[in-house]
Amino acid sequence: AAGGLYWATYKAICRRNGCYTNAQGPHNFNEQLIEPMIKIIAPGWERVFTRRVASVLNNFTKSIPAILTNFHREIEDRARKIGTGLGSLAMLSHQIGVYEQVLKDAAATTKEMIIARQKDINREFTPVLEHKMIPSYEWCEAERGPGQYKV
């Protein structure tokens, strides 16, 4: 098996859905198969989840005060037009800060959830590939006879 695998090792890897460890070390066909795809996916993945999502949520957080203030101003204008009591509007204006903090906290929580979830999803590539490869591993493991493992 110069530079390759012994027949028995190959069969053991197939029997174990692409993963096997022996005296020569770990063998993981699934990792080897997914590696080229990860190299292609990784830059875009990093760009979206590390930079773009953070940027969008940071911009949202920065815009919250202006959005709430404008909303409150529009409500005040409408209330004046229809003659609603301004006392309740004063109470509403005191709550702007509370809602501002609630929305900032929600954005921070969302960012943390997205980061955690993308890490979970990133770890799923290899198990999903392994699951899809099971019929092929079973076919290779079941193959018998001369010529089944020629280099």
Side-chain angles (χ1 to χ4, degrees):
L5 298 172
Y6 289 105
W7 174 86
T9 303
Y10 167 76
K11 285 293 193 173
I13 294 168
C14 292
R15 202 172 12 262
R16 291 167 181 83
N17 296 332
C19 302
Y20 176 66
T21 300
N22 63 6
Q24 285 73 43
H27 304 279
N28 191 327
F29 285 178
N30 303 311
E31 291 286 335
Q32 291 174 351
L33 286 168
I34 203 78
E35 184 181 353
M37 289 181 261
I38 295 296
K39 284 182 181 179
I40 292 169
I41 294 169
W45 187 273
E46 190 271 336
R47 186 173 46 256
V48 168
F49 288 107
T50 303
R51 291 186 243 154
R52 186 68 183 133
V53 168
S55 173
V56 167
L57 289 172
N58 289 340
N59 289 339
F60 170 74
T61 302
K62 288 176 187 174
S63 68
I64 290 171
I67 291 169
L68 287 174
T69 302
N70 289 338
F71 174 74
H72 180 71
R73 202 171 299 130
E74 288 177 18
I75 295 297
E76 275 183 337
D77 292 344
R78 287 183 188 176
R80 282 192 186 103
K81 286 178 185 175
I82 62 171
T84 304
L86 296 177
S88 58
L89 289 175
M91 185 175 71
L92 182 62
S93 70
H94 293 297
Q95 293 178 350
I96 289 175
V98 173
Y99 289 116
E100 187 177 313
Q101 191 58 50
V102 166
L103 290 172
K104 285 181 179 180
D105 291 346
T109 300
T110 299
K111 184 178 176 181
E112 290 170 11
M113 286 173 41
I114 289 171
I115 289 169
R117 192 67 187 116
Q118 70 90 18
K119 287 179 182 177
D120 292 341
I121 293 168
N122 195 24
R123 291 184 198 108
E124 287 298 313
F125 287 122
T126 303
V128 167
L129 177 96
E130 178 180 339
H131 177 74
K132 293 293 185 182
M133 289 295 297
I134 288 173
S136 297
Y137 290 134
E138 289 172 349
W139 184 83
C140 291
E141 200 280 320
E143 190 176 26
R144 302 283 184 256
Q148 64 174 310
Y149 186 70
K150 287 197 179 203
V151 181

